[in-house]
Every structure is written in structure tokens, then in C-alpha cells.
Amino acid sequence: MSPNGDVHPCEAFKSDKAVSNINQHDLYYIWQNDKRLNQLRELNKYQISNCNNCSQLENCKGGCPGQRWLKHKDVLIGPDPGCIEYEIK
């Protein structure tokens, strides 16, 4: 949570335009209705481009969504910057 009340899933998403603000809605409402939080909860590892056919997907699950956001500005674009398997290909 930012000092102004903006709610982010984690520090990696602070550059993302906050959808929710604790000064406008209570935490329960934000947890249930925030667009980014719902997107992350509903994320299917097979939706992540560049990861969906990787032999290591079952192990890493696509890595960290926050790190994918920082690198690609999209949680559906992989890989996580820490992915060793992708660098080998």
C-alpha cells in the first residue's frame, strides 16, 4: 500500500496505475473487486506466452508475476527475468 492509500499486489506493481485506494474502499471490497488482484488470482500458467510450452513450467509455474510485470509490463508475457531455461533456448 502506498502512502496515499493506493493498493498494489506487491512492490513490483507500484509503477502500475493503482485500481483501488484504501481511502475509497475497505480492504475486503478491494480484495474481492480489484481488477489486478483478480487477474493475478485467475492467472493460468498456460496463458503465459513464452512459458506455455516450456518443459519447466510445472516446476516454476511461470515464475513471479511481479517480475514479469516489471520486465514486460504484462503478467501474461514471460518469462520471468530470472528464468534460466528461457535463456538457454
Side-chain angles (χ1 to χ4, degrees):
M1 191 174 311
S2 296
N4 69 352
D6 288 345
V7 176
H8 308 277
C10 75
E11 291 291 317
F13 288 95
K14 283 204 169 192
S15 64
D16 188 11
K17 182 182 178 285
V19 177
S20 300
N21 186 290
I22 197 70
N23 297 313
Q24 297 171 350
H25 301 286
D26 63 40
L27 197 52
Y28 179 81
Y29 178 90
I30 292 170
W31 182 257
Q32 295 295 319
N33 297 288
D34 182 85
K35 180 180 172 183
R36 176 67 70 198
L37 290 174
N38 283 325
Q39 178 192 28
L40 293 171
R41 279 193 292 270
E42 295 168 3
L43 184 63
N44 179 318
K45 63 188 173 197
Y46 298 108
Q47 295 173 304
I48 305 167
S49 66
N50 299 322
C51 295
N52 49 7
N53 292 317
C54 180
S55 64
Q56 296 302 311
L57 185 60
E58 293 303 316
N59 297 320
C60 78
K61 315 272 189 277
C64 175
Q67 294 304 309
R68 290 195 310 270
W69 170 258
L70 286 175
K71 183 172 183 180
H72 307 287
K73 295 298 182 215
D74 190 334
V75 297
L76 294 176
I77 298 176
D80 176 315
C83 176
I84 297 169
E85 184 71 19
Y86 188 76
E87 298 303 320
I88 294 172
K89 293 179 184 178

